[in-house]
mmCIF file of all heavy atoms in Angstrom:
data_model
loop_
_atom_site.group_PDB
_atom_site.id
_atom_site.type_symbol
_atom_site.label_atom_id
_atom_site.label_comp_id
_atom_site.label_asym_id
_atom_site.label_seq_id
_atom_site.Cartn_x
_atom_site.Cartn_y
_atom_site.Cartn_z
ATOM 1 N N ALA A 38 57.203 88.619 53.790
ATOM 2 C CA ALA A 38 57.581 89.655 52.830
ATOM 3 C C ALA A 38 57.080 89.289 51.426
ATOM 4 O O ALA A 38 56.684 90.174 50.655
ATOM 5 C CB ALA A 38 59.102 89.845 52.820
ATOM 6 N N ASP A 39 57.075 87.997 51.113
ATOM 7 C CA ASP A 39 56.489 87.561 49.846
ATOM 8 C C ASP A 39 54.984 87.840 49.818
ATOM 9 O O ASP A 39 54.445 88.287 48.793
ATOM 10 C CB ASP A 39 56.730 86.056 49.647
ATOM 11 C CG ASP A 39 58.195 85.717 49.477
ATOM 12 O OD1 ASP A 39 58.950 86.539 48.936
ATOM 13 O OD2 ASP A 39 58.593 84.597 49.891
ATOM 14 N N TYR A 40 54.327 87.564 50.952
ATOM 15 C CA TYR A 40 52.894 87.810 51.024
ATOM 16 C C TYR A 40 52.597 89.298 50.829
ATOM 17 O O TYR A 40 51.628 89.664 50.151
ATOM 18 C CB TYR A 40 52.319 87.371 52.387
ATOM 19 C CG TYR A 40 52.637 85.976 52.809
ATOM 20 C CD1 TYR A 40 52.700 85.636 54.169
ATOM 21 C CD2 TYR A 40 52.880 84.960 51.885
ATOM 22 C CE1 TYR A 40 52.976 84.344 54.587
ATOM 23 C CE2 TYR A 40 53.166 83.670 52.300
ATOM 24 C CZ TYR A 40 53.221 83.356 53.649
ATOM 25 O OH TYR A 40 53.512 82.085 54.066
ATOM 26 N N LEU A 41 53.413 90.159 51.427
ATOM 27 C CA LEU A 41 53.180 91.587 51.322
ATOM 28 C C LEU A 41 53.378 92.071 49.896
ATOM 29 O O LEU A 41 52.620 92.937 49.419
ATOM 30 C CB LEU A 41 54.118 92.355 52.258
ATOM 31 C CG LEU A 41 53.862 93.864 52.343
ATOM 32 C CD1 LEU A 41 52.484 94.151 52.933
ATOM 33 C CD2 LEU A 41 54.950 94.554 53.177
ATOM 34 N N GLN A 42 54.361 91.511 49.191
ATOM 35 C CA GLN A 42 54.567 91.894 47.801
ATOM 36 C C GLN A 42 53.354 91.523 46.970
ATOM 37 O O GLN A 42 52.894 92.305 46.117
ATOM 38 C CB GLN A 42 55.816 91.202 47.240
ATOM 39 C CG GLN A 42 56.194 91.634 45.841
ATOM 40 C CD GLN A 42 56.700 93.065 45.798
ATOM 41 O OE1 GLN A 42 57.835 93.350 46.147
ATOM 42 N NE2 GLN A 42 55.862 93.988 45.326
ATOM 43 N N GLU A 43 52.794 90.350 47.232
ATOM 44 C CA GLU A 43 51.597 89.923 46.519
ATOM 45 C C GLU A 43 50.405 90.813 46.866
ATOM 46 O O GLU A 43 49.653 91.235 45.981
ATOM 47 C CB GLU A 43 51.294 88.462 46.865
ATOM 48 C CG GLU A 43 50.052 87.882 46.196
ATOM 49 C CD GLU A 43 50.184 87.799 44.681
ATOM 50 O OE1 GLU A 43 51.319 87.702 44.180
ATOM 51 O OE2 GLU A 43 49.130 87.832 44.010
ATOM 52 N N LEU A 44 50.221 91.072 48.155
ATOM 53 C CA LEU A 44 49.119 91.918 48.584
ATOM 54 C C LEU A 44 49.183 93.312 47.973
ATOM 55 O O LEU A 44 48.164 93.900 47.605
ATOM 56 C CB LEU A 44 49.127 92.014 50.115
ATOM 57 C CG LEU A 44 48.006 92.835 50.765
ATOM 58 C CD1 LEU A 44 46.685 92.070 50.695
ATOM 59 C CD2 LEU A 44 48.358 93.162 52.219
ATOM 60 N N SER A 45 50.396 93.837 47.847
ATOM 61 C CA SER A 45 50.599 95.216 47.388
ATOM 62 C C SER A 45 50.205 95.416 45.927
ATOM 63 O O SER A 45 50.070 96.564 45.482
ATOM 64 C CB SER A 45 52.058 95.627 47.597
ATOM 65 O OG SER A 45 52.380 95.619 48.973
ATOM 66 N N LYS A 46 50.011 94.334 45.198
ATOM 67 C CA LYS A 46 49.539 94.463 43.812
ATOM 68 C C LYS A 46 48.173 95.151 43.776
ATOM 69 O O LYS A 46 47.870 95.874 42.839
ATOM 70 C CB LYS A 46 49.455 93.087 43.142
ATOM 71 C CG LYS A 46 50.812 92.444 42.895
ATOM 72 C CD LYS A 46 50.646 91.057 42.281
ATOM 73 C CE LYS A 46 52.013 90.381 42.059
ATOM 74 N NZ LYS A 46 51.850 89.000 41.509
ATOM 75 N N ASP A 47 47.379 94.918 44.822
ATOM 76 C CA ASP A 47 46.064 95.572 44.897
ATOM 77 C C ASP A 47 46.215 97.083 45.079
ATOM 78 O O ASP A 47 45.443 97.858 44.504
ATOM 79 C CB ASP A 47 45.249 94.996 46.046
ATOM 80 C CG ASP A 47 44.836 93.557 45.808
ATOM 81 O OD1 ASP A 47 44.985 93.069 44.675
ATOM 82 O OD2 ASP A 47 44.376 92.891 46.770
ATOM 83 N N PHE A 48 47.202 97.470 45.880
ATOM 84 C CA PHE A 48 47.459 98.908 46.091
ATOM 85 C C PHE A 48 47.899 99.557 44.771
ATOM 86 O O PHE A 48 47.450 100.651 44.426
ATOM 87 C CB PHE A 48 48.542 99.084 47.149
ATOM 88 C CG PHE A 48 48.902 100.523 47.438
ATOM 89 C CD1 PHE A 48 48.070 101.328 48.201
ATOM 90 C CD2 PHE A 48 50.077 101.068 46.945
ATOM 91 C CE1 PHE A 48 48.397 102.656 48.472
ATOM 92 C CE2 PHE A 48 50.417 102.374 47.194
ATOM 93 C CZ PHE A 48 49.576 103.187 47.960
ATOM 94 N N THR A 49 48.742 98.854 44.042
ATOM 95 C CA THR A 49 49.218 99.378 42.755
ATOM 96 C C THR A 49 48.052 99.512 41.773
ATOM 97 O O THR A 49 47.943 100.507 41.051
ATOM 98 C CB THR A 49 50.298 98.439 42.162
ATOM 99 O OG1 THR A 49 51.396 98.370 43.078
ATOM 100 C CG2 THR A 49 50.794 98.960 40.827
ATOM 101 N N GLU A 50 47.158 98.524 41.779
ATOM 102 C CA GLU A 50 46.005 98.568 40.875
ATOM 103 C C GLU A 50 45.091 99.751 41.227
ATOM 104 O O GLU A 50 44.527 100.388 40.335
ATOM 105 C CB GLU A 50 45.231 97.263 40.970
ATOM 106 C CG GLU A 50 44.078 97.155 39.983
ATOM 107 C CD GLU A 50 43.401 95.797 40.019
ATOM 108 O OE1 GLU A 50 43.995 94.857 40.590
ATOM 109 O OE2 GLU A 50 42.274 95.696 39.490
ATOM 110 N N GLU A 51 44.966 100.047 42.502
ATOM 111 C CA GLU A 51 44.081 101.128 42.936
ATOM 112 C C GLU A 51 44.691 102.514 42.709
ATOM 113 O O GLU A 51 43.978 103.464 42.402
ATOM 114 C CB GLU A 51 43.754 100.980 44.422
ATOM 115 C CG GLU A 51 42.867 99.798 44.748
ATOM 116 C CD GLU A 51 42.620 99.664 46.233
ATOM 117 O OE1 GLU A 51 42.754 100.698 46.948
ATOM 118 O OE2 GLU A 51 42.305 98.554 46.703
ATOM 119 N N THR A 52 46.016 102.608 42.848
ATOM 120 C CA THR A 52 46.659 103.931 42.876
ATOM 121 C C THR A 52 47.623 104.198 41.729
ATOM 122 O O THR A 52 47.985 105.342 41.478
ATOM 123 C CB THR A 52 47.437 104.107 44.186
ATOM 124 O OG1 THR A 52 48.536 103.159 44.231
ATOM 125 C CG2 THR A 52 46.541 103.893 45.394
ATOM 126 N N GLY A 53 48.090 103.132 41.070
ATOM 127 C CA GLY A 53 49.111 103.295 40.044
ATOM 128 C C GLY A 53 50.513 103.410 40.633
ATOM 129 O O GLY A 53 51.487 103.610 39.903
ATOM 130 N N ILE A 54 50.629 103.244 41.949
ATOM 131 C CA ILE A 54 51.943 103.346 42.626
ATOM 132 C C ILE A 54 52.524 101.965 42.797
ATOM 133 O O ILE A 54 51.914 101.077 43.404
ATOM 134 C CB ILE A 54 51.791 104.028 43.993
ATOM 135 C CG1 ILE A 54 51.220 105.450 43.826
ATOM 136 C CG2 ILE A 54 53.136 104.082 44.717
ATOM 137 C CD1 ILE A 54 50.797 106.098 45.113
ATOM 138 N N THR A 55 53.707 101.745 42.261
ATOM 139 C CA THR A 55 54.381 100.459 42.390
ATOM 140 C C THR A 55 54.980 100.311 43.778
ATOM 141 O O THR A 55 55.509 101.271 44.347
ATOM 142 C CB THR A 55 55.503 100.346 41.342
ATOM 143 O OG1 THR A 55 54.952 100.482 40.036
ATOM 144 C CG2 THR A 55 56.241 99.027 41.464
ATOM 145 N N VAL A 56 54.870 99.117 44.331
ATOM 146 C CA VAL A 56 55.450 98.836 45.640
ATOM 147 C C VAL A 56 56.536 97.765 45.479
ATOM 148 O O VAL A 56 56.279 96.691 44.932
ATOM 149 C CB VAL A 56 54.386 98.338 46.644
ATOM 150 C CG1 VAL A 56 55.040 98.027 47.998
ATOM 151 C CG2 VAL A 56 53.285 99.383 46.796
#
Side-chain angles (χ1 to χ4, degrees):
D39 294 329
Y40 307 152
L41 186 64
Q42 186 69 78
E43 180 64 26
L44 182 73
S45 297
K46 292 178 181 178
D47 292 348
F48 179 77
T49 301
E50 185 175 344
E51 291 178 22
T52 65
I54 300 169
T55 301
V56 179

